[in-house]
Amino acid sequence: MRIVPRQDRGALVLAVTGDLDIDNIAPLGAALERAAEDGNGPVVVDLSDVSFADSTTVNALLQGQVLLGPRLRLAAPSPFMERLIGVLGLDSVLPVFPTVPEAIDPPLSG
């Protein structure tokens, strides 16, 4: 697992790559904690290159939501993550966007 942070239009984007499981999820939790302490813009977790995730990943994301509230946004879920999000109904708790740019600047509804 690898996390590459970058700033993009006032948002912190965390590009996550690889398998996320109990053995390596701690850096994601730490990155979300730092984001909660360090800023006030959107925090976008780019899930496009995540090939596997287990329940500890879900827990880290939910804890991130507690810390960041509506600032936390999931973006571009890989096919695996899309299935996981759908099966668990995470999209009813966490905002999920099809792309990173849409997560940074959500389209206006209405």
Side-chain angles (χ1 to χ4, degrees):
M1 191 271 287
R2 185 170 166 220
I3 301 172
V4 177
R6 74 177 191 276
Q7 290 292 322
D8 188 343
R9 295 178 286 146
L12 171 63
V13 178
L14 302 172
V16 184
T17 303
D19 292 352
L20 305 175
D21 59 34
I22 193 168
D23 294 326
N24 64 13
I25 196 62
L28 178 58
L32 294 172
E33 285 179 25
R34 274 191 308 278
E37 295 167 0
D38 292 346
N40 58 8
V43 177
V44 178
V45 181
D46 179 351
L47 300 170
S48 59
D49 290 324
V50 173
S51 48
F52 174 81
D54 68 4
S55 61
T56 59
T57 305
V58 173
N59 188 44
L61 293 172
L62 291 173
Q63 287 185 1
Q65 198 270 338
V66 169
L67 292 169
L68 293 158
R71 292 178 51 209
L72 180 63
R73 302 163 186 181
L74 307 183
S78 66
F80 180 89
M81 287 303 298
E82 202 169 301
R83 282 190 304 278
L84 184 66
I85 289 166
V87 166
L88 296 177
L90 281 180
D91 52 350
S92 68
V93 179
L94 296 167
V96 181
F97 296 88
T99 67
V100 170
E102 287 179 89
I104 294 170
D105 292 315
L108 298 175
S109 60

